[in-house]
Amino acid sequence: MSSSTASAPLATSATPANPRNRVILASLIGTTIEFYDFYVYATAAVLVFPHLFFPTGNPTTALLASFAVFGAAMVARPLGAVFFGHLGDRVGRKTTLVAALLTMGIATFLIGLLPTYALIGWFAPLLLVLLRLAQGFALGGEWSGAALVATENAPAGKRARFGTYPQLGAPIGFIIANGLFLIIAAILPSDDPTRPSDAFLDWGWRIPFLFSAVMVIVGLWVRLRLVESDAFTKTASAGKLVKMPLAIVFKLHWRKLILGTFFMLATYVLFYLMTTFSLSYGRAPESPTEPGVLPGLGYSYTTFVLMLIAGVLFFGAFTWLSGPWADKFGRRKTLIWVTTGIIVFGLIWVPLLGAGFAGVMLWLVIGFSLMGMTFGPMGALLPELFPTNVRYTGSGISYNVSSILGAAVAPFIAVWLWTLGDGSPFLVGVYLAIMGAITLVALLLSKETKDIDIDR
């Protein structure tokens, strides 16, 4: 059945289940908040936590410990996908999305209240790990629900375009999180470009975490106004909901589960190299004098974050543009070309990063543009792989298991390869290219999904 046939009831209904503006806002604002919370932690993992929660005496070791905790959340994400996926496929998308948003918001707020290692010793990193796991657990249920709200309510022929709205939460959340850190750093300036000021380390870093409470309240207000999609309502009315969505996914849809996981692999690795590793590499001194410090680009925190934000604007623009392209040319064809571009990009890191400011900016623009083009179509592609009664569970598991294979280890592997290369990023770029090649194979083994019946 064609996508236009599948979407006809939504396209012709005089009173759609959820008006277009409500769908866009509900899918966008929730992921914006969730990614804001995640980016706040990612930034603090580079700037703050090595000093306050992992004081090992060796800067690189402290950074690796902080990144290890960052990656721990990725391990919790598949568990969140199973838990929230079960709720989403059993009781509905709306209730599940509200629960995921509350879990993330409370965990982030509590990180802002944590005592440091100097006050309570090893209990400080332990509590940080627990709250980080709660963040990952919540995000495991957030993305797939937001993607389903967008795609199950999309008009005929526009599923990929609507699927980009939750994806836009990533660049918007990045800009808000890093912009807020930038403002605080400007108010509490440091004389040492490699270390935040004492005031920033004492209390300034807590503000972005506490501010998340305001954003969560706004997100809850929007999501509580949603009603269930026609796809879920029809499935429930027909008595086709299943008691154990997880079992059905593994029994009947295991091949799509595996393919979906590898579809996201290159996306995740690129995502966290461009947003997390790049901040470490960009701020590292060109010629370090302290033992254990790796060489990098030598930019100040403020300068490099402004460069990152400029790059993320391309991330947002190409995320939005990728939707119409995927609707016109198909998800598979679009992603095959983009993934090929990611492989080539990984192999030209050294000449780009060695070409001064212009080369670094070009590296950021290319990387974030590719990020938008690969991330955007995923909002439609992964939900389209699965039928309605297991869609929340299936898309969520694929998306979040890939987070372990990609995002959980990407910053850690990148720092190791950075060390192995004596400060050169060449091996980090090769790592990205290899992950891109794995994703390309998965795409070549797949079938196009743009014309499937979303109500099936």
Side-chain angles (χ1 to χ4, degrees):
M1 186 182 292
S2 70
S3 59
S4 56
T5 304
S7 304
L10 292 176
T12 59
S13 174
T15 56
N18 290 293
R20 173 176 174 154
N21 290 342
R22 188 180 300 171
V23 170
I24 293 172
L25 188 58
S27 59
L28 175 60
I29 195 168
T31 51
T32 297
I33 295 168
E34 301 279 0
F35 278 107
Y36 165 85
D37 290 349
F38 237 57
Y39 285 132
V40 163
Y41 184 95
T43 302
V46 175
L47 291 180
V48 178
F49 295 154
H51 301 290
L52 299 183
F53 291 88
F54 308 100
T56 65
N58 183 303
T60 300
T61 302
L63 180 63
L64 287 171
S66 186
F67 277 160
V69 176
F70 177 82
M74 307 303 174
V75 178
R77 284 174 62 165
L79 299 177
V82 171
F83 177 79
F84 288 110
H86 181 86
L87 290 180
D89 286 328
R90 289 289 299 152
V91 304
R93 301 1 181 171
K94 174 183 172 178
T95 302
T96 307
L97 280 171
V98 169
L101 185 60
L102 272 174
T103 304
M104 173 66 96
I106 292 171
T108 305
F109 184 81
L110 290 177
I111 289 176
L113 299 176
L114 279 182
T116 64
Y117 184 91
L119 293 175
I120 60 171
W122 65 270
F123 280 105
L126 175 62
L127 291 173
L128 183 62
V129 169
L130 292 175
L131 291 174
R132 182 63 180 155
L133 290 172
Q135 279 191 316
F137 189 78
L139 190 56
E142 162 61 33
W143 176 85
S144 49
L148 265 56
V149 165
T151 55
E152 290 182 348
N153 288 281
K158 295 184 178 180
R159 274 205 306 268
R161 180 176 300 183
F162 269 60
T164 62
Y165 293 128
Q167 310 300 73
L168 285 170
I172 295 172
F174 180 93
I175 291 171
I176 296 173
N178 283 277
L180 187 52
F181 264 114
L182 204 60
I183 292 170
I184 296 168
I187 295 173
L188 305 172
S190 172
D191 296 329
D192 183 354
T194 65
R195 178 185 174 91
S197 67
D198 290 339
F200 188 97
L201 290 174
D202 286 342
W203 57 270
W205 68 272
R206 300 179 184 273
I207 295 173
F209 289 93
L210 300 177
F211 178 71
S212 68
V214 177
M215 300 180 68
V216 168
I217 291 171
V218 175
L220 288 174
W221 177 76
V222 173
R223 285 194 165 169
L224 287 170
R225 300 177 66 209
L226 283 173
V227 297
E228 290 298 345
S229 68
D230 282 355
F232 181 82
T233 302
K234 289 176 181 177
T235 300
S237 299
K240 293 182 179 179
L241 298 182
V242 294
K243 291 184 178 181
M244 296 298 295
L246 180 64
I248 298 300
V249 165
F250 277 104
K251 181 179 179 180
L252 301 180
H253 307 287
W254 59 269
R255 185 176 184 275
K256 293 178 179 178
L257 202 63
I258 293 172
L259 286 175
T261 298
F262 286 105
F263 289 165
M264 280 294 304
L265 184 62
T267 304
Y268 264 125
V269 173
L270 178 62
F271 189 63
Y272 284 93
L273 291 182
M274 296 305 300
T275 58
T276 303
F277 169 76
S278 66
L279 186 58
S280 300
Y281 182 71
R283 292 176 60 249
E286 290 185 271
S287 301
T289 57
E290 297 181 21
V293 177
L294 293 167
L297 297 175
Y299 290 100
S300 69
Y301 168 71
T302 299
T303 300
F304 198 75
V305 169
L306 287 173
M307 294 166 67
L308 279 176
I309 290 175
V312 168
L313 294 176
F314 287 86
F315 178 12
F318 280 93
T319 297
W320 183 75
L321 289 170
S322 68
W325 292 341
D327 277 329
K328 181 177 181 179
F329 302 111
R331 291 73 159 125
R332 180 177 179 271
K333 183 182 292 186
T334 299
L335 287 168
I336 285 173
W337 281 107
V338 175
T339 304
T340 302
I342 291 173
I343 296 170
V344 174
F345 173 65
L347 298 176
I348 59 172
W349 273 36
V350 170
L352 286 175
L353 291 171
F357 177 81
V360 175
M361 277 308 308
L362 184 59
W363 177 77
L364 290 171
V365 168
I366 294 173
F368 278 116
S369 297
L370 288 168
M371 184 62 232
M373 287 186 280
T374 185
F375 192 52
M378 295 296 176
L381 174 60
L382 295 186
E384 288 171 348
L385 292 175
F386 303 95
T388 302
N389 59 357
V390 296
R391 184 171 293 140
Y392 205 129
T393 300
S395 61
I397 290 176
S398 291
Y399 183 84
N400 289 292
V401 169
S402 190
S403 76
I404 296 178
L405 302 178
V409 297
F412 197 84
I413 289 176
V415 173
W416 174 64
L417 292 173
W418 183 19
T419 305
L420 197 64
D422 294 325
S424 169
F426 172 74
L427 292 176
V428 183
V430 172
Y431 164 56
L432 173 62
I434 293 171
M435 297 301 102
I438 294 172
T439 290
L440 183 60
V441 170
L443 289 167
L444 291 172
L445 293 174
S446 68
K447 297 179 180 179
E448 181 54 57
T449 62
K450 80 181 185 72
D451 292 325
I452 63 99
D453 176 6
I454 198 67
D455 290 338
R456 75 191 193 283

